[in-house]
Amino acid sequence: MSSADEQRRVGVESCGVPNVNRERGQRQVFCGLAGIVWLHRKIQDAFFLVVGSRTCAHLLQSAAGVMIFAEPRFATAILQERDLAGLADCNQELDRVVADVLERRSDIKTLFLVGSCPSEVIKLDLSKAAERLSETHQGRVRVLDYSASGLETTFTQGEDVCLMSLTPQLPLLAEGESSLLVVGTLPDVVEDQFARIFRDLGIGPVHFLPPRQSTELPPVGKGSRVLLAQPFLGETARALQKRGATLLDAPYPLGIEGTLGWLKAAADAWGVSEERLREVTAAPIARAERGLARQRELLAGKRITFLPDSQLEIPIARFLARECGMELVEVATPFLDRQLMESELQLLPSDLRLTEGQDVERQLDRVREDRPDLTVCGLGLANPLEAEGLRTKWSIELVFSPIHGFDQAADLAELFARPLVRGALLQV
Amino acid sequence: MQLTLWSYEGPPHIGAMRLAASMKGVHLVLHAPQGDTYADLLFTMIERRPQRPPVSYTTFQARELGTDTAELVKTTIQQTYDRFKPSVLMVGESCTAELIQDQPGALAQGMGLPVPVLPLELPAYARKENWGANETFYQLIRGLLRSRVPAPGSERELRAEGARPKANLLGASSLGFRCRDDVVEVTRLLDSVGVDVNVVAPLGASPEDLLRIPEADFNVCMYPEIADQSCHWLERMFGQPMVKTVPIGIGATRDFLHEVGRAAGIEIDTTKDPIWSRMPWYSRSVDSTYLTGKRVFIFADATHAVAAARIAAEELGFTVVGLGTYAREFARDVREAAKRYGVDPLITDDYLEVEARVAEVQPELVLGTQMERHIAKRLGVPCAVISAPVHIQDFPSRYAPQMGFEGANVIFDTWVHPLMMGLEEHLITMFREDFEFHDAATPSHLGPGTRKTQSEDAEPAAAEQAARADDAVMAWAPEAEQELKKIPFFVRGKARRNTERFAEECGIQTITVETLYDAKAHFGR
């Protein structure tokens, strides 16, 4: 038995579900609008029109504007005083703005109207508007709506609400057919890897949501088995369940253990034998273990704290603890969906300091007191903590990097080893 | 609603944050929904600050809207005071909080905190970032110095015999374009004529420093967008003259020194050549001859736009073909400058309008903001950044002022760099079928890559659509179209436009090779 196997076994034995500390106060997180930054690249024929304020526009361009766009794929319809005073009919205004966008970008197939805090507070009905505009531009472009306001969503939840808005649009899976639906944005390379493994396991057809083109929506129905590739998709999962799909209970495909558990959930649903699963996964697992061994040397015994950001904290902490030998000081998540996290919580030590929500000042006090070897946090805190002599790993990178699956396990570990290596390397 | 692909300024509370982050001992409490803390990244990432900005947020969520958000404001203010103990506490709202009207400023004033509390009015749906910074700076200065305004009619104290005159440098701020190094350069400039710096604000100043502002002989309004209200008020209340010339460019720097001389009552040696600027010689050296008449489009905040136009026209020998600003508050200066260069001023904060104008005038170089880089990429035109908004690469590690004589050196290098170098430009014009050096290739000194040739191919479709709809009858003969392709790409757009205008004026329906050369002779280029 390899040491990683041993680690996994020991982990399982010492487990129980940890208690959750709930904390409220100032939250240092993104709102759901930030999801647009990766969604616009995944769904290439979609355009995201935020209905909001100058602040929303500013957020988007501060996050994505360092790239130089010849053809922007998102924009903001900025509310003016006239709109708020009721002097302008917001619906007419919106129609005009949408017409402008569509005239400029004739290649758009799906337009998302994205709600924000201001549009929520003034109760602008974007779903009605989306219906109306879909009719107006019928045959040419589909108009959908979702709200990614900071009032309601935190960072990656923006993807959840976006995908949820797509679910009613999915075609119906024919009666008697079955398919596997993998949900959550994955980098193209990872998507292809998973597709190959499922093919080798004889599981299929496999569809991915979101698709690369908004016109190629996967079907859903009674025969759909859903595997969540991302832990922040509670609303989407429930919407798919409403359409008859079955949610497969699995850990998230991060690290070897998570990926194997994730694949096993599908294999079980398709009645694939243990033996076959072992055959198909043996080579990639051996490869991943070789890659991981190097990173494990750098990470084992190091203490790590997660500040809340993306809901990826729990599965990644599980991976770092069980497969890389790190010590978890505190793991915080912006939102804990018990149902979706069940399989993951089982794998965490029962005495883990697990926090849902945030009071940033108090949390930073704890970080300063604990002085972990590595703190996973947002960019608003990373440099200030570095200046205090603490090593950090900025968390947003985790949603922008290929980290899922066997062949990315070492890369995922490397993301955490890199700041430590760098810290040791620099002599200035 | 206004369709906004890119916005030139953030909301006004970002301006207030810039003010707070510039200073020491000032803390801002912002009533704002969860997520608005993204703004911290501007400071910690784009500007790479090693501390969190001194801003605390209420970060309310949907569930709190049903309850008492005002209570949340009060709790946040109290906790913020207890933790940070600032000498001045500012309280403001972001755009969403403005809609729910909790009056956080008034609440804070009623809490009996033992420090000055400054409530900020930041109308988020009418005003923008620079206004927010300007207003916050003004309110702060006015709030701190109001009680020290001398009685009307009282004489200003005379400077002690032999003492060097002192100036305040006002307007430099966090997230301002090259403010860090401009302060150093202007300090050096003033020192060279025997003037000391009294207070630099808001950048690096504490409220206690602001109290010393009246001790200076005059104020240098480095960035009017941030400091003009304050300077005007100080001039009225404390009789401190305000130096208005912004020393960006050789000519402007000389004018600035003269104005300083007048304000400080000292002789300025005007005959000595600027000892530390190489820019005038670089610009006169024969390598720069090919820069003559390069057609340049300028769009920026008013200060940098006006300064850039003067440098372009008088110091580099470019032709200014477009000049504009997104700063409506300072549109007058830009209009006046535009008149000098014989162009239509473009006063707009609408990115699409700027893009349309650039496509229309077909410049060979765009000098603008981060947003103009998007436009330039789309149109395949070289571009250099001269003003905020900017991204991380424009907060460089090296010394990179825009002001003063070293600023002029920096500007020469920055603006000339994106242009194709002289020899390559000549050879591309002569030999058009080279496999390595061709129209679609980026200038070779900029490394590998392919230039997007939208300016040539897509441009008639996109930018001229409107113009062409009117005279759909006009057409290019195939040979003429071929001939047009022999004109170097950076002036081809202009040639196309001129030829079509010429054809229209002469009532020519089909443009031939002859028409092309007739138009060339007619317009002289």
Side-chain angles (χ1 to χ4, degrees):
Chain A
M1 195 179 282
S2 75
S3 66
D5 275 340
E6 181 128 329
Q7 173 77 15
R8 255 174 259 152
R9 200 172 49 81
V10 170
V12 173
E13 275 165 12
S14 66
C15 261
V17 175
N19 287 326
V20 184
N21 310 309
R22 292 199 173 74
E23 196 173 46
R24 282 177 76 170
Q26 182 183 318
R27 292 167 67 105
Q28 187 82 20
V29 288
F30 278 122
C31 66
L33 292 180
I36 293 171
V37 176
W38 64 90
L39 286 167
H40 84 267
R41 297 301 273 271
K42 181 71 193 181
I43 319 176
Q44 291 164 19
D45 58 355
F47 191 95
F48 296 82
L49 180 66
V50 177
V51 182
S53 65
R54 189 168 295 283
T55 309
C56 309
H58 194 237
L59 156 75
L60 275 180
Q61 74 186 41
S62 306
V66 72
M67 294 184 290
I68 312 295
F69 288 81
E71 285 298 346
R73 302 183 207 172
F74 47 81
T76 311
I78 297 185
L79 294 164
Q80 310 286 306
E81 276 189 320
R82 294 159 26 83
D83 302 301
L84 299 177
L87 294 176
D89 180 335
C90 278
N91 289 312
Q92 279 176 16
E93 287 286 291
L94 194 55
D95 292 0
R96 179 179 59 77
V97 167
V98 167
D100 264 11
V101 168
L102 294 180
E103 188 187 346
R104 190 187 155 89
R105 294 292 312 276
S106 54
D107 51 332
I108 300 169
K109 297 290 188 292
T110 300
L111 179 78
F112 289 100
L113 300 178
V114 188
S116 64
C117 300
S119 74
E120 287 289 308
V121 169
I122 64 166
K123 306 222 179 301
L124 188 59
D125 192 342
L126 290 184
S127 71
K128 273 237 174 70
E131 258 175 52
R132 184 180 66 242
L133 286 161
S134 275
E135 248 166 61
T136 317
H137 301 281
Q138 209 168 21
R140 206 202 120 185
V141 64
R142 175 192 288 140
V143 184
L144 301 175
D145 79 288
Y146 68 88
S147 169
S149 73
L151 294 172
E152 293 180 321
T153 60
T154 305
F155 194 30
T156 46
Q157 282 176 312
E159 174 171 335
D160 192 17
V161 281
C162 174
L163 298 189
M164 189 178 68
S165 77
L166 278 172
T167 53
Q169 308 294 321
L170 305 185
L172 187 66
L173 183 71
E175 199 74 31
E177 279 182 31
S178 64
S179 81
L180 178 65
L181 187 55
V182 177
V183 184
T185 294
L186 289 170
D188 297 344
V189 58
V190 176
E191 213 173 270
D192 296 344
Q193 286 170 12
F194 284 150
R196 279 198 298 273
I197 294 180
F198 287 127
R199 188 196 59 205
D200 294 347
L201 287 171
I203 294 173
V206 181
H207 301 291
F208 292 90
L209 182 71
R212 295 178 198 186
Q213 300 290 329
S214 69
T215 46
E216 293 157 15
L217 291 174
V220 68
K222 283 217 175 56
S224 299
R225 304 274 179 283
V226 173
L227 260 188
L228 294 184
Q230 301 280 15
F232 43 73
L233 299 171
E235 300 296 327
T236 305
R238 282 181 274 278
L240 290 169
Q241 281 172 315
K242 271 195 198 132
R243 292 207 51 188
T246 314
L247 184 61
L248 298 179
D249 192 19
Y252 293 92
L254 298 158
I256 299 171
E257 183 184 28
T259 305
L260 187 58
W262 190 74
L263 291 171
K264 187 172 185 314
D268 288 349
W270 258 260
V272 178
S273 70
E274 286 272 342
E275 200 191 349
R276 181 74 193 135
L277 180 63
R278 229 183 344 258
E279 265 171 40
V280 170
T281 55
I285 287 181
R287 217 165 37 223
E289 270 170 357
R290 276 201 306 277
L292 211 47
R294 267 196 303 276
Q295 306 302 334
R296 193 185 156 83
E297 259 171 54
L298 300 164
L299 292 173
K302 295 287 195 299
R303 299 162 67 246
I304 188 167
T305 283
F306 284 81
L307 268 50
D309 189 56
S310 63
Q311 299 184 52
L312 281 162
E313 296 83 5
I314 289 174
I316 291 179
R318 178 260 301 157
F319 161 71
L320 292 175
R322 294 166 66 92
E323 296 181 51
C324 303
M326 290 188 88
E327 189 187 319
L328 305 179
V329 179
E330 176 175 339
V331 177
T333 179
F335 181 67
L336 183 70
D337 189 324
R338 277 271 172 187
Q339 193 196 345
L340 264 54
M341 216 47 92
E342 203 55 51
S343 303
E344 289 287 346
L345 291 175
Q346 310 268 347
L347 300 174
L348 289 172
S350 56
D351 60 345
L352 174 68
R353 220 206 282 160
L354 182 61
T355 309
E356 180 184 10
Q358 186 176 34
D359 180 346
V360 70
E361 302 293 351
R362 278 171 53 202
Q363 199 162 39
L364 289 175
D365 286 345
R366 293 200 295 276
V367 168
R368 289 178 187 122
E369 199 181 317
D370 296 333
R371 292 202 72 83
D373 297 301
L374 199 59
T375 304
V376 185
C377 63
L379 290 172
L381 300 172
N383 273 335
L385 285 178
E386 291 280 346
E388 292 183 31
L390 289 157
R391 306 299 325 182
T392 60
K393 163 80 215 95
W394 52 282
S395 50
I396 299 133
E397 195 173 15
L398 301 168
V399 301
F400 289 128
S401 309
I403 57 170
H404 295 74
F406 295 127
D407 284 311
Q408 280 67 237
D411 300 344
L412 176 56
E414 198 270 342
L415 287 179
F416 294 87
R418 197 184 302 162
L420 298 174
V421 170
R422 187 169 181 77
L425 211 57
L426 297 183
Q427 301 293 316
V428 288
Chain B
M1 282 177 210
Q2 189 193 357
L3 173 61
T4 310
L5 294 182
W6 302 107
S7 79
Y8 286 95
E9 291 181 71
H13 74 259
I14 299 290
M17 287 185 67
R18 283 173 56 185
L19 234 283
S22 300
M23 293 185 60
K24 296 189 208 99
V26 176
H27 203 98
L28 171 65
V29 172
L30 210 53
H31 193 19
Q34 162 179 274
D36 280 4
T37 52
Y38 81 86
D40 285 7
L41 267 71
L42 304 172
F43 302 94
T44 60
M45 294 305 294
I46 295 181
E47 202 177 32
R48 260 187 251 256
R49 283 163 59 102
Q51 317 89 23
R52 295 168 66 203
V55 183
S56 299
Y57 306 78
T58 56
T59 56
F60 57 90
Q61 291 176 268
R63 60 171 181 235
E64 273 129 352
L65 284 180
T67 62
D68 198 354
T69 45
E71 201 50 46
L72 178 67
V73 174
K74 281 162 83 172
T75 320
T76 310
I77 290 171
Q78 190 62 52
Q79 285 175 350
T80 301
Y81 176 75
D82 292 345
R83 182 175 282 266
F84 296 102
K85 293 277 175 355
S87 346
V88 173
L89 188 74
M90 306 197 293
V91 181
E93 297 166 296
S94 81
C95 54
T96 306
E98 186 181 333
L99 297 173
I100 56 176
Q101 302 200 330
D102 282 323
Q103 313 286 340
L107 284 176
Q109 282 180 311
M111 287 174 64
L113 295 175
V115 290
V117 171
L118 182 67
L120 298 174
E121 290 285 334
L122 304 164
Y125 298 90
R127 302 291 189 169
K128 298 191 289 268
E129 178 177 333
N130 282 338
W131 184 90
N134 198 321
E135 174 71 12
T136 305
F137 191 38
Y138 166 64
Q139 293 294 351
L140 195 58
I141 283 189
R142 186 168 160 273
L144 289 169
L145 291 175
R146 197 167 27 189
S147 61
R148 305 184 175 215
V149 170
S154 55
E155 284 289 305
R156 251 183 89 78
E157 253 178 80
L158 285 175
R159 186 164 74 231
E161 191 71 37
R164 297 205 344 157
K166 288 194 289 187
N168 298 316
L169 306 187
L170 302 184
S173 69
S174 196
L175 285 179
F177 184 63
R178 306 292 168 87
C179 286
R180 178 196 69 194
D181 298 339
D182 282 348
V183 166
V184 176
E185 192 61 22
V186 170
T187 303
R188 180 155 89 145
L189 204 55
L190 290 175
D191 180 61
S192 77
V193 295
V195 174
D196 286 336
V197 169
N198 180 49
V199 171
V200 178
L203 196 65
S206 63
E208 294 72 29
D209 291 329
L210 296 189
L211 293 174
R212 293 194 293 108
I213 282 181
E215 293 167 19
D217 297 273
F218 63 99
N219 291 317
V220 173
C221 185
M222 287 179 70
Y223 304 94
E225 281 83 355
I226 309 297
D228 80 317
Q229 269 201 89
S230 304
C231 287
H232 284 303
W233 187 78
L234 290 167
E235 189 163 38
R236 279 201 313 279
M237 296 297 155
F238 291 90
Q240 286 176 317
M242 159 183 174
V243 170
K244 290 191 182 109
T245 308
V246 177
I248 302 179
I250 298 289
T253 299
R254 288 189 180 127
D255 292 352
F256 169 81
L257 289 175
H258 283 291
E259 202 182 338
V260 165
R262 281 195 299 278
I266 53 173
E267 272 305 312
I268 299 282
D269 184 357
T270 56
T271 55
K272 203 164 56 181
D273 252 355
I275 40 172
W276 66 81
S277 183
R278 283 175 286 268
M279 193 265 218
W281 166 242
Y282 270 52
S283 192
R284 280 178 189 281
S285 75
V286 293
D287 190 61
S288 299
T289 311
Y290 84 114
L291 299 177
T292 314
K294 283 262 181 220
R295 310 173 59 263
V296 56
F297 180 92
I298 300 166
F299 194 84
D301 68 20
T303 301
H304 289 91
V306 171
R310 178 169 177 188
I311 297 169
E314 296 178 6
E315 298 170 20
L316 288 169
F318 292 158
T319 304
V320 177
V321 294
L323 180 61
T325 185
Y326 57 82
R328 287 182 190 283
E329 293 90 340
F330 297 87
R332 212 174 76 179
D333 305 344
V334 176
R335 285 205 183 90
E336 273 166 22
K339 211 177 292 170
R340 270 199 301 284
Y341 305 112
V343 293
D344 273 345
L346 178 63
I347 313 297
T348 181
D349 60 355
D350 183 348
Y351 167 84
L352 293 171
E353 215 175 309
V354 180
E355 186 185 73
R357 182 69 71 91
V358 176
E360 184 191 317
V361 301
Q362 294 282 330
E364 292 163 74
L365 175 67
V366 172
L367 299 174
T369 72
Q370 173 75 11
M371 305 310 145
E372 277 61 54
R373 297 177 70 191
H374 300 292
I375 294 173
K377 179 180 180 187
R378 182 178 161 92
L379 300 174
V381 184
C383 178
V385 171
I386 59 165
S387 146
V390 292
H391 249 292
I392 187 164
Q393 65 272 46
D394 280 299
F395 289 95
S397 170
R398 68 179 189 282
Y399 186 57
Q402 300 286 292
M403 291 185 181
F405 296 124
E406 183 59 26
N409 295 342
V410 170
I411 285 173
F412 181 88
D413 292 346
T414 311
W415 295 11
V416 172
H417 179 76
L419 297 170
M420 183 170 284
M421 301 216 289
L423 176 63
E424 191 163 328
E425 188 179 306
H426 281 297
L427 288 173
I428 283 225
T429 311
M430 288 174 69
F431 311 109
R432 316 204 50 78
E433 287 165 15
D434 192 278
F435 61 88
E436 184 183 355
F437 299 92
H438 52 83
D439 271 6
T442 356
S444 62
H445 74 288
L446 299 179
T450 306
R451 175 196 298 280
K452 276 201 92 171
T453 46
Q454 289 208 355
S455 57
E456 165 58 14
D457 302 322
E459 176 270 334
E464 296 188 11
Q465 229 164 24
R468 291 198 153 192
D470 307 331
D471 41 34
V473 282
M474 198 196 293
W476 282 73
E479 315 85 66
E481 195 82 54
Q482 274 317 108
E483 198 68 13
L484 184 69
K485 290 221 169 88
K486 294 174 193 163
I487 295 168
F489 63 89
F490 40 84
V491 284
R492 197 179 304 151
K494 185 69 188 170
R496 177 189 283 279
R497 193 163 295 281
N498 278 349
T499 309
E500 288 177 357
R501 207 168 96 200
F502 178 76
E504 198 186 329
E505 280 166 12
C506 305
I508 293 169
Q509 309 250 312
T510 306
I511 295 169
T512 62
V513 176
E514 290 299 309
T515 326
L516 186 66
Y517 286 112
D518 285 346
K520 186 178 178 226
H522 179 77
F523 290 107
R525 189 172 170 184

